[in-house]
């Protein structure tokens, strides 16, 4: 078994941790110090005059934000067609535009805080091995065109057996290219990829981004902002006008609580109506552990982000391999390229069962290594060197979309949570939307809204078990 060693956490500076040592009263309390909590703090401080307290159970940015692939991407894992079947085209396209707007929001945060951490904008490529996957991407492009979004580049191999069967209404939404071009874009000599989708991506250490934004906020808003680490919230008690949080031996009272907890870790919510929100909240998110490996390569090739959809099916739940390459300072002053690759995933019925200290099973490292050697590092002299293995918790919402907005049963409580595989830009977008809610603005209906009703859990036993653990 291997250790959970994230290359992103290795780059974080050491600094003193502020602990909660007395009862507090504030206007907004944010629970969870990952990118969602940090971005929410930033936008609340910038867009309102409220006092804000951020409570993090462990250390800042040590959750999914410190254990991801660091690809900045404006897509939903679930895909536009699948979302439109549930929400309709109009809400889906509006949701896509919302996520894309987060590119500018991220840039604005970066420049406002005068950050100098590496943040590379690069090309992103997704490779597909089947007709069904290719047609699905063409349909997404068609939806983008119809919805007034810029179309993205799709390349189909001239040798693909289905070329003549591509429906006429997709003409103009793709280019036919020699098979060698597909291999070149995906940086592989594998011959089973038949199409490539190209779109903008970025690469960033999202944990380092959070650290720097927090330092900036502490300096800019010394009277209105406080961060407490090692401050686990166990219970939230909601009345009609206020919330009280039980944080170990102290309490924090606030007018609003924003949950940015990714999933839920031993947190219970008691509302004036009892435990209805609690049961619902726990039912909203289930978990997946994502496993990644990191390799060092000689510096030279430019940053890139590539996804390899080796499974020919179109189910959004199918796992795929995702690779990023970016310069990385492994030892002080020594620069390499870091290749980070994820793929293997493990479903958790309950996110409380995720253990961040758990060892990393060697079989996942071997799985990724086999993929890397077959697909990316095919040079017989082996040019890349294995260095890291890490895992992280992804909270998946029932509908595959981040939950952003007030709890319908008590709007004092708001959510910006649900990692859903791709979460950097959605968290940042979520932060701007939460700020509008807290300002009391009318916020248009969207696919990120917390559903009014939920279908009944698959069994009452899990909910009852959680309630009795309270
Ligand atoms: C392996 C992996 C690869 C990924 N790759 C990408 C990618 O390439 N691109 C992308 O966009 N997204 C990716 N993601 C998803 C992305 O990392 C997340 O969506 C994003 O970091 C979520 O941020 P968050 O703040 O919501 O959650 P987290 O970063 O998990 O933060 C939640 C925080 O809440 C704290 N918390 C929980 N409960 C409590 C409590 N009761 N009291 C106090 N604090 C609490 C936790 O300790 C944690 O620090 C990946 C995720 C994983 C795991």
């Amino acid at each position: 078994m291997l250790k959970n060693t994230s290359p992103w956490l290795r780059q974080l500076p050491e600094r003193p941790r502020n602990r909660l040592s007395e009862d507090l009263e504030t206007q907004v309390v944010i629970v969870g110090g990952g990118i969602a909590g940090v971005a929410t703090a930033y936008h609340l401080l910038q867009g309102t005059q409220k006092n804000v307290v951020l409570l993090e159970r462990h250390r800042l940015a040590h959750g999914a934000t410190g254990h991801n692939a660091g690809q900045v991407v404006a897509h939903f894992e679930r895909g536009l067609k699948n979302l439109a079947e549930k929400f309709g085209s109009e809400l889906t396209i509006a949701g896509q535009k919302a996520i894309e707007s987060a590119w500018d929001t991220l840039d604005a945060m970066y420049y406002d805080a005068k950050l100098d951490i590496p943040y590379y904008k690069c090309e992103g490529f997704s490779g597909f091995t089947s007709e069904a996957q290719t047609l699905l991407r063409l349909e997404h492009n068609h939806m983008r065109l119809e919805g007034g979004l810029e179309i993205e580049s799709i390349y189909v191999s001239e040798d693909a057996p289905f070329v003549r069967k591509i429906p006429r209404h997709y003409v103009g939404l793709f280019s036919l290219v020699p098979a060698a071009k597909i291999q070149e874009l995906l940086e592989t000599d594998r011959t089973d990829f038949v199409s490539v989708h190209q779109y903008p991506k970025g690469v960033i250490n999202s944990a380092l981004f959070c650290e720097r934004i927090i330092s900036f906020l502490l300096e800019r808003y010394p009277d209105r902002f406080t961060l407490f680490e090692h401050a686990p919230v166990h219970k939230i008690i909601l009345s009609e006008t206020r919330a009280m949080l039980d944080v170990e031996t102290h309490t924090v009272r606030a007018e609003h609580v924003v949950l940015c907890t990714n999933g839920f870790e031993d947190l219970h919510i008691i509302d004036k109506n009892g435990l209805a929100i609690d049961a619902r909240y726990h039912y909203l998110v289930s978990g997946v552990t994502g496993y990644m490996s990191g390799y060092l390569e000689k510096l030279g090739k430019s940053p890139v982000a590539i996804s390899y959809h080796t499974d020919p099916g179109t189910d959004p739940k199918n796992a795929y391999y995702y690779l990023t390459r970016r310069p990385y300072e492994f030892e002080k002053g020594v620069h390499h390229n870091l290749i980070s690759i994820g793929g293997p995933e493990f479903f958790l019925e309950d996110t409380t069962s995720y253990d961040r200290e758990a060892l990393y099973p060697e079989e996942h490292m071997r799985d990724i290594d086999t993929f890397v050697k077959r697909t990316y590092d095919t040079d017989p002299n082996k040019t890349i060197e294995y260095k890291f293995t890490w895992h992280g918790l992804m909270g998946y919402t029932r509908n595959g979309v981040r939950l952003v907005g007030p709890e319908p049963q008590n709007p004092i409580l708001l959510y910006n949570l649900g990692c859903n595989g791709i979460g950097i830009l959605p968290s940042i977008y979520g932060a701007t939307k939460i700020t509008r809610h807290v300002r009391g603005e009318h916020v248009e209906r969207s696919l990120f809204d917390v559903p009014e009703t939920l279908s009944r859990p698959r069994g009452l036993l899990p909910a009852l078990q959680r309630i009795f653990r309270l």
Side-chain angles (χ1 to χ4, degrees), residues 355-369:
D355 174 8
R356 64 182 68 213
E357 303 303 332
L359 293 174
Y360 183 111
E362 277 186 37
E363 69 198 77
H364 298 319
M365 187 270 264
R366 279 196 296 273
D367 173 344
I368 293 177
D369 204 50

Side-chain angles (χ1 to χ4, degrees), residues 165-172 174:
K165 289 195 283 168
I166 295 178
R168 290 182 67 83
H169 63 277
Y170 293 144
V171 170
F174 67 96

Side-chain angles (χ1 to χ4, degrees), residues 176-302:
L176 276 184
V177 295
K181 177 79 180 169
I182 300 286
Q183 291 175 311
E184 182 193 317
L185 294 174
L186 297 176
E187 302 195 21
T188 185
D189 52 17
R190 279 174 69 151
T191 53
D192 50 342
F193 289 99
V194 288
S195 61
V196 174
H197 177 193
Q198 179 179 2
Y199 48 100
K201 281 196 183 179
V203 287
I204 196 165
N205 176 344
S206 57
L208 187 56
F209 176 76
C210 287
E211 272 289 339
R212 292 292 172 81
I213 291 288
I214 286 293
S215 303
F216 166 75
L217 294 179
L218 289 169
E219 208 178 304
R220 182 183 273 184
Y221 304 103
D223 303 328
R224 287 206 290 133
F225 177 57
T226 325
L227 162 70
F228 294 103
E229 288 165 276
H230 303 288
V233 175
H234 299 298
K235 275 185 218 140
I236 300 177
I237 301 166
L238 300 170
S239 75
E240 262 168 49
T241 53
R242 301 192 72 67
M244 189 180 82
L245 284 71
D246 159 14
V247 193
E248 299 278 71
T249 50
H250 296 288
T251 58
V252 177
R253 289 166 200 270
E255 294 162 11
H256 293 283
V257 191
V258 191
L259 287 185
C260 298
T261 47
N262 182 359
F264 50 89
E265 294 181 50
D266 294 332
L267 170 63
H268 292 285
I269 301 166
I270 302 161
D271 187 36
K272 56 187 188 300
N273 298 323
L275 288 163
I277 296 180
D278 194 72
R280 164 196 176 81
Y281 170 60
H282 288 284
Y283 177 61
L284 286 172
V285 191
S286 58
V288 166
T289 308
Y291 293 91
M292 302 205 62
S293 292
Y295 296 78
L296 294 179
E297 184 187 59
K298 199 163 57 95
L299 198 63
K301 295 180 191 162
S302 50

Side-chain angles (χ1 to χ4, degrees), residues 32 34-36 56-57 64-65 68-69 71 233 262 402 419 421 423-424:
I35 192 163
E56 164 52 44
R57 178 191 181 85
T65 301
N68 57 21
Q71 289 194 16
V233 175
N262 182 359
R402 193 169 188 84
C419 161
I424 295 176

